[in-house]
Amino acid sequence: MGRGQLSFAALPRSFFDRPSHEVAPDLLGRVLAHGSVAVRLTEVEAYGGPGEDPAAHTYRGRTPRNAVMFGPPGHLYVYFTYGMHFCANLVCLPDGFGSAVLLRAGEVVEGLAEARARRSNGKPLADRDLARGPARLAVALGLMREHNGLDTIMEGSPLGRPRQSATMLEGVPADPSSIRSGPRTGISTAKEVPWRFWIDGDPTVSPYRAHVPRRRNAAATSVGEAPSS
DNA sequence: GGCTGGATTCACT
DNA sequence: GTGAATCCAGCCA
């Protein structure tokens, strides 16, 4: 994808008016454009919804942090984690439900130079790694705390008109036969729920890593403990 | 008010 | 493969 704006039509809000685990696979191959950078989604995870999902931020009810997830569909839910990273989600289901799809990885298809400038600190970086991982994707797109709650739905076609700040575009939906699903990455609960979806064989899909509990005070826990196998 | 753990990434071995 | 970095939401006393 070269210079100039992508000419895909915008996704309608009704696209997101479904449970996140139904929206998630349909998002693969779609394009999220923010400013001059656009990313084709290759890996996503579904969270929350009508059924209780203990791994979702909405599990314990509405809070100031997760309020956007309970809002109207098609908006961005951006949260801060691990003291240094932002992750972006797209809100699903109508107002009042807490549900969203985490954007885990994608391919930068527009604004490559801009994305590279944001991601690399003067070090060489392969194109496939620009948005390979949820925090990396957020950086490549320039998404931060201030973009929490941003609407990505553009009523009508964006053709011939400037995009709004963030816009979900149709893109080219992934071939259903190439979509795989499995357990979600890095969570400590509900590990068995296969709500991670990715495009099989795509080089921009991030490697799966199981949750590893962190030790805050290694010195305090290393004395007298049996060696772990 | 203190404590814990986290939807991660990167450098280093 | 392992561990550090670093801030904050949520829980509990």
Side-chain angles (χ1 to χ4, degrees):
Chain A
M1 200 68 59
R3 66 205 66 180
Q5 293 200 343
L6 295 171
S7 56
F8 298 123
L11 280 179
R13 196 172 305 282
S14 58
F15 180 90
F16 293 98
D17 214 347
R18 299 176 285 156
S20 56
H21 63 276
E22 290 183 20
V23 173
D26 280 357
L27 272 173
L28 296 175
R30 313 285 185 172
V31 172
L32 176 59
H34 181 236
S36 61
V37 177
V39 167
R40 168 182 161 268
L41 302 175
T42 59
E43 183 189 358
V44 295
E45 282 179 1
Y47 285 91
E52 298 208 328
D53 177 9
H57 288 175
T58 50
Y59 183 58
R60 298 175 195 280
R62 188 177 188 136
T63 66
R65 181 202 197 193
N66 65 27
V68 172
M69 273 183 81
F70 286 93
H75 287 244
L76 274 176
Y77 166 52
V78 182
Y79 68 89
F80 184 66
T81 190
Y82 287 98
M84 65 198 90
H85 298 303
F86 291 100
C87 296
N89 300 244
L90 286 163
V91 177
C92 300
L93 289 174
D95 221 331
F97 294 88
S99 177
V101 175
L102 170 69
L103 310 181
R104 283 201 58 86
E107 173 193 6
V108 177
V109 293
E110 190 179 83
L112 211 62
E114 178 80 20
R116 182 176 294 281
R118 288 174 180 151
R119 281 274 294 122
S120 72
N121 292 320
K123 300 189 177 180
L125 189 61
D127 286 356
R128 58 176 262 173
D129 289 330
L130 288 175
R132 191 173 182 230
R136 293 166 168 184
L137 184 148
V139 170
L141 280 170
L143 295 173
M144 293 173 287
R145 198 193 316 269
E146 67 201 78
H147 301 109
N148 187 34
L150 210 59
D151 192 1
T152 70
I153 303 302
M154 188 171 177
E155 305 298 346
S157 167
L159 296 178
R161 282 189 281 146
R163 291 196 298 252
Q164 59 191 49
S165 172
T167 309
M168 270 312 300
L169 303 171
E170 274 183 358
V172 180
D175 177 0
S177 67
S178 70
I179 296 177
R180 300 288 178 271
S181 68
R184 294 172 292 185
T185 304
I187 55 173
S188 56
T189 56
K191 298 172 187 171
E192 72 288 354
V193 180
W195 280 2
R196 172 174 175 251
F197 302 89
W198 69 94
I199 297 176
D200 191 32
D202 194 292
T204 63
V205 173
S206 65
Y208 175 80
R209 277 143 90 172
H211 173 76
V212 179
R214 296 159 60 226
R215 290 183 307 170
R216 177 165 293 265
N217 188 343
T221 56
S222 62
V223 178
E225 280 191 352
S228 57
S229 56

